Amino acid sequence: MYTRISKLVLVLAFALYASLVAFNNLTDYNSNFTLVTHVLMMDTTFPGNQGLWRAIHSPVMHHTVYSLIIGTEIAIAALCWLGGLRLYRSIQTPIAFNQAKGLAILGLTLGFLLWFTGFMTIGGEWFLMWQSETANGQQAAFRLAMIIAAILIYLGQADEEQQI
């Protein structure tokens, strides 16, 4: 039972985190929008690098990408909250708990895709965010991807009644 409670708490903790990230991006839009703009414009990367042809200078595209990020964060939060609710309702029996993991796994997987694929792969490598000293979110994205991976591995382990 303690293991199931632990898994539930971790899913809810990440739901809270994703909720606060989305909330902050909505209520303080310009703070992270500025980062997204610099990454897409590649204006803080090494001068004259050979990848500058990838830069996107359209403000409409900047807002579209940022809106997609925020929408994904909201979806992550919702899936983790709903997944946590399903886990809570099924916490008494290991079989039901195992069957209730789906939404939480989807939410965490979407989070991994956002922070690993979106920020580290697309932002970091395609838009060369790693070259920027001022517009570089790779370390934060890496921390999140690792936290999510750990929770996913732990949550994905089958739950059984332990014999004492």
Side-chain angles (χ1 to χ4, degrees):
M1 178 70 129
Y2 294 117
T3 302
R4 293 191 301 273
I5 292 170
S6 171
K7 291 176 180 183
L8 168 63
V9 168
L10 290 175
V11 169
L12 293 177
F14 199 78
L16 177 61
Y17 177 81
S19 298
L20 291 175
V21 170
F23 175 79
N24 287 336
N25 284 339
L26 288 169
T27 59
D28 186 15
Y29 187 88
N30 285 327
S31 289
N32 283 322
F33 177 70
T34 301
L35 174 87
V36 170
T37 299
H38 284 301
V39 170
L40 295 175
M41 289 183 20
M42 300 175 71
D43 60 350
T44 59
T45 60
F46 300 158
N49 74 68
Q50 296 301 302
L52 289 174
W53 63 269
R54 305 172 193 164
I56 298 173
H57 297 283
S58 165
V60 171
M61 286 302 296
H62 299 167
H63 286 285
T64 301
V65 169
Y66 192 45
S67 296
L68 182 62
I69 291 168
I70 295 170
T72 303
E73 292 164 349
I74 292 168
I76 292 163
L79 286 166
C80 287
W81 284 118
L82 292 170
L85 179 62
R86 286 185 68 192
L87 293 173
Y88 175 75
R89 289 180 176 166
S90 306
I91 203 156
Q92 294 299 322
T93 29
I95 293 170
F97 191 82
N98 286 329
Q99 294 171 343
K101 293 178 181 180
L103 288 178
I105 289 172
L106 283 174
L108 292 166
T109 301
L110 187 57
F112 187 86
L113 290 172
L114 175 63
W115 282 291
F116 177 73
T117 306
F119 283 85
M120 293 180 67
T121 304
I122 297 171
E125 293 304 320
W126 183 255
F127 290 104
L128 305 175
M129 183 169 48
W130 65 270
Q131 292 183 4
S132 177
E133 290 183 21
T134 57
N136 189 341
Q138 284 193 294
Q139 287 184 347
F142 177 77
R143 284 191 304 268
L144 287 170
M146 291 301 98
I147 290 167
I148 294 166
I151 297 171
L152 269 170
I153 291 167
Y154 182 49
L155 179 63
Q157 294 176 346
D159 288 272
E160 300 172 358
E161 284 298 339
Q162 296 181 358
Q163 302 297 322
I164 298 177

